[in-house]
Amino acid sequence: MAARRFFSLVSRSQSFPRPTLGFVSLLHTLGRDTQRSRNISKLSTAAEVDELITPSVEIRYTKNLINGKFMDAASGKTFPAYDPRTGEVIAHVAEGDQEDINRAVSAARKAFDEGPWPKMTPYERSRILLRVADLVEKHNDELAALETWNNGKLYEQAVNIEVPMFVRLLRYYAGWADKIHGLTVPADGNYHVQVLHEPIGVAGQIIPWNFPILLFAWKVGPALACGNTVVVKTAEQTPLTGLFAAQLFQEAGLPPGVLNVVSGFGPTAGSALASHMDVDKIAFTGSTDTGKIIYQLAAKSNLKPVTLELGGKSPFIVCEDADVDKAVELAHFALFFNQGQCCCAGSRTYVHERIYDEFLEKAKAAALRRVVGDPFKKGVEQGPQVDSQQFEKILKYIKSGVESNATLECGGDRIGTKGFFVQPTVFSNVQDDMSIAKDEIFGPVQTILKFKDTDEVIRRANNTRYGLAAGVFTNNLDTANTLMRGLKAGTVWINCFDVFDAAIPFGGYKMSGVGREKGIYSLHNYLQVKAVVTPLKNPAWL
């Protein structure tokens, strides 16, 4: 993918070829034909969930990949993968546990210590990663269909954006493979000092369910580019695209044992990987509470280094000088994108008191127009939540908001009688101490809060355990500069949101994580630094 801005706010009149289509533009296109005149009650939403499209993709890979071969779990157990549109089982996947992790780590260790991957020239590693990218591109539509079927995200989002981003990320890190080098350092005295950057060894990686194929690339790309071997634990909710991608790595010529993929549950497979004494590094994306457990397991085992990309409760600040229509549009996207299942979602919408009422009415209207339905259908803007657990959690938070005396402006209930569809929901009169304003809901629930001035909103926006991202909407450069420096967040988007790129680092302050993903910063996670000092006799120069 050639575009530098993958998630960009663009004019509705613009059109792009598939690889460069921005998310906001895409969602406008999907929803334009459905935003017709209709009679809508205060709490209803536009819903089309009756007739479901049957995906044409075949589920071919359900076993664990260990040492270059797909195999059943050591226990022989399987677990179901579901279609969140219906709650029905679509496949049974090998349920890996501690023994499977042991086998995978053993294969990765042998591939690192004895195999060709770390000894291969960086250029050869680069060529293999580029072949993987080509194969993913070839199977773009198939991977996207599988992602939608198992996750519930919009097919147009998966096929036009997320799988192409996988390709872009792999090509980005393939380009880095032969550009990782050390330094020569001047030292006091007659010494030659080299600083070497070496692969760290066996990397354990645990990926989440909300962006399973994309986060697979975020993790695997930099680790392999640096010459490491990898054991990936996929999310139990969404294992299917990771297994498919693993096969493409094998087809591209990746040596056996370099990439191993085990599907299983956190308390068994995930725990075994994080605490394994022969894993040299662990990377995890998921909830903050689980991240704490990962940290503890790593510390109690071999004190392996850990990178964590965790939860968020990102503020989206709409200043008094904002164009209200544009602000509503962007704030709507910042929250409802991917069914609200996004760690950096703009889930605390702070609006200046002078434009609050106008913003609220337009935000409510946007939510009421939002079309919820089969994510395979064109014109649908929101699919189901990933599973019953997430579905019930969201409804519980909505109930909490009502009981806390926030005003339920629209939504607030399920849609239909099957599957995990939730109405786009908007709350007003939200206070900072309410659960819906403090906790990560991870669903289509927009909370709109009122503020008076810049100092106040900075203080309130920072009054959270999270610090993953923030959004600022203003036409005033001084205001933008003040807010972007005052907000304690790993990413601040000014007059845009969810702008990602292979080169832009992503990660959080405070309890939103440790370390950064993507860009050159992700390479640092997978390299050891070694200083080599050699005496010099009668040097010509120092």
Side-chain angles (χ1 to χ4, degrees), residues 528-540:
Q528 288 280 22
V529 178
K530 177 185 287 183
V532 180
V533 183
T534 306
L536 293 172
K537 294 184 179 180
N538 300 317

Side-chain angles (χ1 to χ4, degrees), residues 492-541:
V492 179
W493 287 295
I494 308 293
N495 296 334
C496 59
F497 207 86
D498 278 344
V499 178
F500 289 94
D501 185 280
I504 299 175
F506 184 75
Y509 286 26
K510 297 187 281 188
M511 294 178 71
S512 284
V514 177
R516 294 294 182 268
E517 306 265 16
K518 301 193 290 104
I520 190 174
Y521 294 90
S522 192
L523 297 171
H524 300 332
N525 300 332
Y526 297 99
L527 293 169
Q528 288 280 22
V529 178
K530 177 185 287 183
V532 180
V533 183
T534 306
L536 293 172
K537 294 184 179 180
N538 300 317
W541 52 268

Side-chain angles (χ1 to χ4, degrees), residues 5-209:
R5 299 181 65 197
F6 296 117
F7 301 66
S8 56
L9 184 66
V10 294
S11 168
R12 293 186 184 216
S13 63
Q14 289 178 301
S15 61
F16 296 91
R18 186 174 76 185
T20 59
L21 189 61
F23 267 122
V24 177
S25 177
L26 170 63
L27 297 179
H28 289 164
T29 303
L30 297 179
R32 189 176 294 129
D33 294 337
T34 63
Q35 294 180 5
R36 349 174 158 84
S37 173
R38 52 177 98 212
N39 294 321
I40 302 176
S41 68
K42 182 187 179 217
L43 300 181
S44 69
T45 190
E48 297 179 2
V49 296
D50 295 331
E51 298 180 7
L52 300 178
I53 293 174
T54 301
S56 59
V57 64
E58 178 186 358
I59 299 174
R60 289 184 279 168
Y61 306 104
T62 59
K63 298 182 179 182
N64 296 321
L65 179 73
I66 298 176
N67 204 28
K69 297 179 180 179
F70 283 100
M71 57 183 65
D72 292 322
S75 66
K77 293 181 181 179
T78 63
F79 66 95
Y82 296 97
D83 178 351
R85 302 176 303 166
T86 63
E88 296 172 355
V89 176
I90 58 174
H92 288 88
V93 179
E95 183 181 336
D97 56 22
Q98 184 170 1
E99 179 56 31
D100 302 281
I101 291 295
N102 288 341
R103 294 176 180 181
V105 172
S106 178
R109 172 55 60 194
K110 184 175 181 180
F112 184 78
D113 290 345
E114 304 175 19
W117 188 249
K119 299 175 184 178
M120 192 180 291
T121 66
Y123 177 60
E124 286 301 313
R125 290 201 298 266
S126 174
R127 292 181 64 189
I128 290 175
L129 291 177
L130 289 172
R131 286 201 293 270
V132 176
D134 291 343
L135 285 169
V136 172
E137 194 167 51
K138 177 181 177 182
H139 292 277
N140 184 94
D141 295 1
E142 193 175 1
L143 277 164
L146 198 59
E147 187 88 331
T148 294
W149 198 7
N150 192 196
N151 174 275
K153 66 173 69 250
L154 300 181
Y155 174 72
E156 293 294 330
Q157 174 182 315
V159 77
N160 290 323
I161 305 296
E162 293 184 21
V163 180
M165 283 184 73
F166 183 110
V167 175
R168 177 67 179 93
L169 279 154
L170 276 191
R171 288 177 177 157
Y172 175 84
Y173 284 112
W176 266 113
D178 60 357
K179 300 170 186 66
I180 298 169
H181 49 75
L183 300 168
T184 302
V185 179
D188 293 340
N190 292 349
Y191 298 99
H192 174 71
V193 182
Q194 302 174 72
V195 177
L196 305 180
H197 293 159
E198 301 179 343
I200 200 166
V202 176
Q205 302 180 321
I206 302 174
I207 58 176
W209 51 258

Side-chain angles (χ1 to χ4, degrees), residues 274-286:
S275 59
H276 204 290
M277 292 295 292
D278 218 13
V279 170
D280 299 304
K281 187 262 182 309
I282 198 80
F284 170 78
T285 296

Side-chain angles (χ1 to χ4, degrees), residues 92-361:
H92 288 88
V93 179
E95 183 181 336
D97 56 22
Q98 184 170 1
E99 179 56 31
D100 302 281
I101 291 295
N102 288 341
R103 294 176 180 181
V105 172
S106 178
R109 172 55 60 194
K110 184 175 181 180
F112 184 78
D113 290 345
E114 304 175 19
W117 188 249
K119 299 175 184 178
M120 192 180 291
T121 66
Y123 177 60
E124 286 301 313
R125 290 201 298 266
S126 174
R127 292 181 64 189
I128 290 175
L129 291 177
L130 289 172
R131 286 201 293 270
V132 176
D134 291 343
L135 285 169
V136 172
E137 194 167 51
K138 177 181 177 182
H139 292 277
N140 184 94
D141 295 1
E142 193 175 1
L143 277 164
L146 198 59
E147 187 88 331
T148 294
W149 198 7
N150 192 196
N151 174 275
K153 66 173 69 250
L154 300 181
Y155 174 72
E156 293 294 330
Q157 174 182 315
V159 77
N160 290 323
I161 305 296
E162 293 184 21
V163 180
M165 283 184 73
F166 183 110
V167 175
R168 177 67 179 93
L169 279 154
L170 276 191
R171 288 177 177 157
Y172 175 84
Y173 284 112
W176 266 113
D178 60 357
K179 300 170 186 66
I180 298 169
H181 49 75
L183 300 168
T184 302
V185 179
D188 293 340
N190 292 349
Y191 298 99
H192 174 71
V193 182
Q194 302 174 72
V195 177
L196 305 180
H197 293 159
E198 301 179 343
I200 200 166
V202 176
Q205 302 180 321
I206 302 174
I207 58 176
W209 51 258
N210 57 335
F211 294 96
I213 191 65
L214 188 55
L215 272 293
F216 191 99
W218 283 28
K219 294 285 189 291
V220 171
L224 293 183
C226 291
N228 300 283
T229 58
V230 176
V231 177
V232 174
K233 205 287 283 186
T234 59
E236 57 267 30
Q237 299 89 342
T238 55
L240 299 179
T241 47
L243 294 171
F244 192 122
Q247 169 60 24
L248 299 182
F249 276 85
Q250 303 310 300
E251 288 183 29
L254 197 71
V258 174
L259 172 64
N260 307 272
V261 180
V262 177
S263 300
F265 293 85
T268 51
S271 175
L273 185 60
S275 59
H276 204 290
M277 292 295 292
D278 218 13
V279 170
D280 299 304
K281 187 262 182 309
I282 198 80
F284 170 78
T285 296
S287 72
T288 295
D289 289 342
T290 304
K292 291 180 182 180
I293 296 172
I294 298 291
Y295 230 155
Q296 291 172 350
L297 293 172
K300 289 178 180 179
S301 52
N302 58 346
L303 207 62
K304 61 180 71 65
V306 178
T307 50
L308 303 170
E309 195 266 281
L310 305 176
K313 192 68 177 177
S314 301
F316 185 96
I317 300 170
V318 182
C319 300
E320 63 179 312
D321 66 328
D323 180 315
V324 174
D325 290 331
K326 290 181 180 179
V328 166
E329 184 176 43
L330 188 59
H332 181 89
F333 165 69
L335 186 282
F336 290 104
F337 165 63
N338 204 52
Q339 291 70 252
Q341 298 170 155
C342 189
C343 55
C344 57
S347 51
R348 290 182 293 153
T349 307
Y350 288 97
V351 182
H352 193 276
E353 61 182 6
R354 292 184 184 175
I355 58 172
Y356 183 88
D357 292 340
E358 180 186 359
F359 182 98
L360 174 61
E361 288 306 309

